[in-house]
Amino acid sequence: MKKIILLLIYCMLYYNSYGQQCDPPINVFNSNINYYTADVNWNYQTNINNYKIRYKLVGATAWSYKNNIDSLAITENLNNLTPQNLYLWQIRSYCDATGNNYSQWSIADTFYTNT
């Protein structure tokens, strides 16, 4: 009986520290778009350690990343973009500092770099 109780306690502790994931940011949108830069935005979330953004030209295979975005941030500037192109971007939440517990990517949003 003791072994069963210890096993249950271990499973609960393991699940609580490694099995939980946080939610991805919601209400993603973009603003202040010009030839070379764009701001990407999302709603504030509680209990987040940091965020990560990925973005790319629509049709491209490789992503560019912005890592370790502050947990209090609700906007990030993407720069060095290519003028007059359509971009796709997403964001994910990191639940803790280990980097092992993170959300799914948010829904995708797009923007076109123009004047």
Side-chain angles (χ1 to χ4, degrees):
M1 184 68 166
K2 285 183 182 180
K3 288 183 181 180
I4 293 173
I5 292 172
L6 289 174
L7 180 61
L8 288 173
I9 292 171
Y10 173 78
C11 289
M12 288 184 343
L13 291 173
Y14 179 82
Y15 175 77
N16 285 337
S17 61
Y18 296 105
Q20 293 181 339
Q21 288 189 343
C22 41
D23 293 325
I26 58 171
N27 297 328
V28 297
F29 65 98
N30 47 66
S31 60
N32 301 322
I33 303 163
N34 65 44
Y35 263 31
Y36 303 103
T37 66
D39 290 341
V40 294
N41 311 275
W42 59 92
N43 278 16
Y44 172 77
Q45 288 183 265
T46 58
N47 302 320
I48 299 299
N49 186 271
N50 62 73
Y51 297 103
K52 182 177 193 174
I53 292 173
R54 68 179 182 179
Y55 60 100
K56 67 177 184 172
L57 287 167
V58 169
T61 55
W63 291 93
S64 296
Y65 294 91
K66 283 223 166 178
N67 300 309
N68 297 317
I69 299 166
D70 188 271
S71 63
L72 300 176
I74 56 170
T75 188
E76 182 72 16
N77 181 263
L78 305 181
N79 51 26
N80 299 319
L81 304 176
T82 304
Q84 298 183 328
N85 274 283
L86 185 62
Y87 279 85
L88 174 74
W89 75 279
Q90 293 176 292
I91 184 171
R92 76 170 17 157
S93 305
Y94 281 80
C95 314
D96 57 38
T98 67
N100 296 323
N101 296 317
Y102 49 84
S103 72
Q104 298 294 322
W105 288 103
S106 70
I107 62 168
D109 192 22
T110 59
F111 61 87
Y112 186 80
T113 52
N114 57 12
T115 55

